[in-house]
Amino acid sequence: MIIPKNIEELANYVEKGKNVFFFTAEWCGDCLFIKPNMPEIEKAFDDWQFIEVDRDQYIDVAAEWSIFGIPSFVVIQDGKELGRLVNKDRKTKQEIEDFLNRIIKS
């Protein structure tokens, strides 16, 4: 999982490459629930980069992207959004993998 050091680095990932943005926060119980599963999810989609975005650190980005619930996932390839799993519900490993399979492997 890549953790951007600043807004410029985050913007670079938006513009180039095949990236899955994982919006999270340290205080978020549902984020902590899914975080241990992320390495397996990343391995299953190893031709994509996973970018961890701290919602509190990048609150303006979260607002601009309409991320009003976490954990949330946004898939972007070379600046174009392909899909999003954005809501305030707890997500299971299976739900995330199903979402990514629909978006990435379709």
Side-chain angles (χ1 to χ4, degrees):
M1 184 92 55
I2 297 168
I3 300 174
K5 294 175 189 64
N6 53 49
I7 191 74
E8 291 81 14
E9 185 178 342
L10 179 61
N12 247 359
Y13 291 116
V14 172
E15 294 302 316
K16 293 184 218 154
K18 296 163 42 173
N19 300 299
V20 178
F21 293 85
F22 169 43
F23 283 82
T24 185
E26 288 182 19
W27 52 264
C28 170
D30 291 339
C31 301
L32 296 174
F33 171 80
I34 198 58
K35 211 166 195 175
N37 294 291
M38 291 307 297
E40 286 181 47
I41 294 170
E42 287 181 80
K43 189 174 182 179
F45 300 91
D46 62 353
D47 52 337
W48 288 76
Q49 294 184 102
F50 284 72
I51 315 299
E52 183 175 322
V53 182
D54 184 305
R55 198 234 31 177
D56 294 338
Q57 183 178 354
Y58 297 103
I59 193 75
D60 292 339
V61 173
E64 183 180 326
W65 290 19
S66 300
I67 307 293
F68 298 118
I70 53 176
S72 286
F73 297 83
V74 179
V75 179
I76 297 180
Q77 183 172 6
D78 296 326
K80 181 181 179 216
E81 183 176 317
L82 302 182
R84 56 178 41 224
L85 180 59
V86 176
N87 58 46
K88 62 180 176 49
D89 299 332
R90 176 174 279 191
K91 291 153 187 76
T92 65
K93 179 177 180 266
Q94 189 64 55
E95 286 173 310
I96 295 165
E97 288 176 337
D98 289 349
F99 160 73
L100 292 173
N101 276 317
R102 279 193 312 275
I103 300 302
I104 292 173
K105 297 189 176 181
S106 60

